Amino acid sequence: MSFSEKIAGLMARPHQDAVPRDDVPWYLKYSARILGIVGAFFCIILGLYNCTGVITINAASVASGILMMAIGFFVMAVEAPCCCMFVDFVQKLAEKADQRPYWNRAALYVGLSIIPLIIYFGLATIFACGLIFGTGVLYGMMSLGKKATAEEMRNAAVQSGIAGTGSTPNIASNDRASIVNNAQPFSFTGAVATDSNV
């Protein structure tokens, strides 16, 4: 068993399909999941650190810390349900999250990571919520799907009229590029001489 198969076995969910349903690269899936786990860990730890604002009677810091710990637990439950195996509903929550499209998870993570920053803007909050935000960005990239091949993009450009029959694009034939036809040439006039005695 190779190292990558061991990692895949550790990261696999109990009822996950052996054949992936989408064409998202494996490194993007695992990097999003690992960043989510690391972000959730730091969100819990730094949320606890923000709760020490009780000593200085900083209510915003405490509220942000409590919210960060709740967000960290939620992200940890979705991304690594094995870490929360003694909580009954975590496995069902993780399965339900895996069945949803990637853009749902991206929007949820980005939205959740902004709320503690609005409540309390501190260095610990920026770092922990930034990791969760980055996880949301990775899931957003995964929701965009696979990029087309060069041949498919070339065919689409020819069909839409952007590219001509030659190797250079025929901009004059494209009706969306009419602003280019009205452009004036650039010229350089140099510095204007001024008379300082006047």
Side-chain angles (χ1 to χ4, degrees):
M1 180 180 267
S2 68
F3 181 71
S4 62
E5 289 174 352
K6 288 180 183 178
I7 296 289
L10 289 173
M11 298 297 276
R13 300 283 167 83
H15 301 292
Q16 187 176 6
D17 297 334
V19 178
R21 292 175 290 181
D22 52 0
D23 53 352
V24 176
W26 64 270
Y27 55 86
L28 202 55
K29 282 183 183 179
Y30 291 136
S31 62
R33 184 161 298 168
I34 289 170
L35 185 63
I37 293 168
V38 170
F41 174 76
F42 277 111
C43 217
I44 292 170
I45 297 298
L46 294 177
L48 188 62
Y49 173 75
N50 276 358
C51 284
T52 59
V54 115
I55 297 170
T56 60
I57 311 172
N58 189 350
S61 174
V62 174
S64 173
I66 291 171
L67 190 60
M68 283 172 57
M69 287 190 295
I71 291 169
F73 175 75
F74 173 76
V75 172
M76 186 70 76
V78 170
E79 297 298 327
C82 62
C83 295
C84 312
M85 70 173 89
F86 298 112
V87 182
D88 296 335
F89 65 89
V90 167
Q91 190 63 36
K92 292 177 186 175
L93 176 71
E95 288 175 7
K96 196 172 283 191
D98 281 341
Q99 294 170 354
R100 305 292 300 171
Y102 288 131
W103 70 267
N104 290 112
R105 202 180 297 189
L108 182 67
Y109 287 170
V110 167
L112 286 177
S113 67
I114 292 174
I115 296 171
L117 285 172
I118 294 171
I119 295 173
Y120 180 71
F121 196 78
L123 195 59
T125 312
I126 292 170
F127 179 70
C129 291
L131 290 174
I132 301 295
F133 188 87
T135 305
V137 168
L138 283 177
Y139 277 112
M141 288 173 52
M142 289 166 54
S143 71
L144 292 176
K146 187 178 179 182
K147 183 180 173 184
T149 63
E151 186 63 33
E152 290 173 350
M153 289 189 283
R154 215 175 282 119
N155 290 338
V158 168
Q159 288 175 357
S160 67
I162 293 175
T165 57
S167 62
T168 59
N170 186 2
I171 296 176
S173 67
N174 190 358
D175 59 345
R176 292 180 288 179
S178 62
I179 193 166
V180 177
N181 295 336
N182 298 331
Q184 298 296 320
F186 291 106
S187 64
F188 180 71
T189 58
V192 178
T194 59
D195 190 9
S196 60
N197 296 334
V198 179

